[in-house]
């Protein structure tokens, strides 16, 4: 993002691969990928919806910093 380089093909591929592996994401993985997409301003509604469902499955394992990152990411991306 700081370099001004955009790679939509890469993020499309990452979204696709993340969707394939969504059930393996733990609380930190969910938080990290959401933070990265939000930081770069990249939206992938299908991935965001799937990560939301996965976060709900893991809700009891989320640490406060995971919760903050997840909420910030969805707010930053305008996804509710």
């Amino acid at each position: 993002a700081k370099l001004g380089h955009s790679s939509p093909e890469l993020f499309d591929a990452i979204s696709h691969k993340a969707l394939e592996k969504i059930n393996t994401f733990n609380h930190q993985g969910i938080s990290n990928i959401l933070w990265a997409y939000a930081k770069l301003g990249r939206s992938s509604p299908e991935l965001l919806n799937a990560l939301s469902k996965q976060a709900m499955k893991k809700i009891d394992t989320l640490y406060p910093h995971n919760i903050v990152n997840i909420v910030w990411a969805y707010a930053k991306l305008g996804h509710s």
Side-chain angles (χ1 to χ4, degrees):
K2 289 184 179 184
L3 296 175
H5 178 72
S6 176
S7 184
E9 298 85 11
L10 174 62
F11 281 92
D12 289 346
I14 290 170
S15 292
H16 180 73
K17 189 54 74 176
L19 285 166
E20 287 179 4
K21 297 179 176 272
I22 198 76
N23 291 322
T24 67
F25 278 58
N26 65 15
H27 60 277
Q28 193 64 48
I30 294 166
S31 177
N32 287 352
I33 195 166
L34 285 169
W35 179 87
Y37 269 71
K39 182 73 174 168
L40 294 172
R42 300 281 314 168
S43 185
S44 174
E46 186 179 7
L47 178 59
L48 295 177
N49 289 336
L51 287 167
S52 174
K53 290 176 185 171
Q54 189 66 6
M56 287 300 298
K57 291 178 187 175
K58 308 281 185 184
I59 198 80
D60 292 331
T61 68
L62 296 176
Y63 293 108
H65 65 274
N66 299 133
I67 294 168
V68 169
N69 285 344
I70 290 168
V71 171
W72 175 82
Y74 281 100
K76 175 88 172 155
L77 293 169
H79 191 86
S80 58

